[in-house]
Amino acid sequence: VMTVLTLVEVLGIRSLCSWCLLAAIGSALLVGGAIGTWRHSRMPRPAAVRSSRSRRRAAAEADADSGALHRFAAMSGTVLALAFVALLAAPALIGASPAGQLVGGSAGAPPKGDGQTEVVVFSDFQCPACAQAAPVLSQLANEGSIQLVYRYFPLSSIHANATIAAEAAQAAALQGHFWEFHDALFARQSEWSGMGEQQASAVFQQIAVNLGLDAERWGIDATSATVAAAIASDRRAGERLNLLGTPTIFINGTRYEGSLDRASLTNAIESATAR
């Protein structure tokens, strides 16, 4: 079951949970050990053991089987322990950025505004708090106070339409209309967030048509590997930063921990600019 679930993650939602992979490996080892023990068991039935020589041979074979089983348990346990340690050490080994610092720009959406202060927001189009912060950040970018960078971080485990919304927005970005699509998605969030995937996709297509996009090209791009890769790249960047939710905002590379209202954000941006 764990192996099947891991395959579904990789092939279905284009994501991978390392802990699920570890569980799948452990489950496969246990199943393999059980099958191997069953197939290679040489213990005779009681009726077949008639002489002392037969009993001694049966006892020796049973001891050998027991020893093999113990060796298998020790080896598989060691493999799983090493894999567990490797997963814990992976962030340090791959050179992950410190939890509070952001390095690098977005793989997908273009920046907005030409301010001296860079504000990066990891966001989910189905997240209500993101919808609250979006117009404030956009207004600051339009005023020239900041350069706003949007990075995709769809929380697909709790927001069923978050990933397809991100794909729709990135497809719009390929036609130069990311920010218009971004604003429309958040403005209509209450409409599409509770829908099924097909209904939500129909709303996204309507937005694309309303914005004057090439709807046929947009539809192809929205399901393309290029769009999926851009979103996955942003998500991996967020995971390396140990993001726990959205929106997560970085001001000149430093994580912002304050409120999402305009006054709080403006004060933080002015402080960062002064430095």
Side-chain angles (χ1 to χ4, degrees):
V1 169
M2 292 305 302
T3 302
V4 170
L5 290 176
T6 301
L7 289 174
V8 169
E9 285 183 334
V10 174
L11 302 177
I13 63 176
R14 299 186 294 275
S15 181
L16 177 64
C17 169
S18 300
W19 300 105
C20 293
L21 178 60
L22 180 62
I25 293 172
S27 300
L29 285 173
L30 290 175
V31 171
I35 294 174
T37 301
W38 173 71
R39 291 187 60 185
H40 298 289
S41 177
R42 298 184 300 275
M43 292 185 64
R45 297 180 180 179
V49 181
R50 300 182 181 278
S51 66
S52 60
R53 183 177 179 181
S54 297
R55 285 195 296 270
R56 285 195 299 272
R57 185 169 61 250
E61 291 175 349
D63 288 342
D65 286 339
S66 178
L69 185 59
H70 290 160
R71 286 192 297 275
F72 171 79
M75 182 178 65
S76 59
T78 300
V79 169
L80 289 175
L82 290 174
F84 181 79
V85 172
L87 285 176
L88 292 178
L93 294 175
I94 65 175
S97 301
Q101 295 293 319
L102 173 67
V103 178
S106 174
K112 181 178 186 179
D114 56 2
Q116 295 181 355
T117 303
E118 182 186 63
V119 175
V120 179
V121 56
F122 283 86
S123 184
D124 173 337
F125 284 112
Q126 200 172 342
C127 162
C130 296
Q132 174 190 348
V136 176
L137 293 173
S138 290
Q139 187 176 15
L140 291 170
N142 290 334
E143 293 171 356
S145 302
I146 62 173
Q147 182 183 66
L148 178 60
V149 178
Y150 185 98
R151 303 196 70 170
Y152 301 105
F153 200 72
L155 303 174
S156 53
S157 61
I158 58 174
H159 295 148
N161 293 326
T163 298
I164 60 170
E167 291 169 345
Q170 180 58 22
L174 296 180
Q175 297 189 43
H177 290 276
F178 170 79
W179 288 104
E180 297 95 324
F181 209 99
H182 162 281
D183 294 346
L185 282 174
F186 279 127
R188 299 178 64 173
Q189 184 190 82
S190 60
E191 175 185 348
W192 58 263
S193 61
M195 292 179 170
E197 181 175 331
Q198 290 186 342
Q199 293 174 304
S201 295
V203 173
F204 303 154
Q205 185 177 29
Q206 184 185 55
I207 293 173
V209 171
N210 291 344
L211 293 176
L213 303 182
D214 181 335
E216 183 177 358
R217 176 188 164 193
W218 172 86
I220 294 172
D221 288 340
T223 57
S224 69
T226 301
V227 162
I231 295 166
S233 177
D234 276 359
R235 182 167 181 82
R236 285 193 298 271
E239 289 171 347
R240 288 195 294 270
L241 291 161
N242 300 318
L243 301 192
L244 299 177
T246 53
T248 299
I249 297 171
F250 292 83
I251 301 176
N252 281 347
T254 301
R255 190 190 300 254
Y256 171 70
E257 304 288 358
S259 300
L260 299 176
D261 60 276
R262 180 184 171 92
S264 300
L265 284 166
T266 300
N267 289 337
I269 290 165
E270 290 176 350
S271 297
T273 304
R275 291 195 296 268

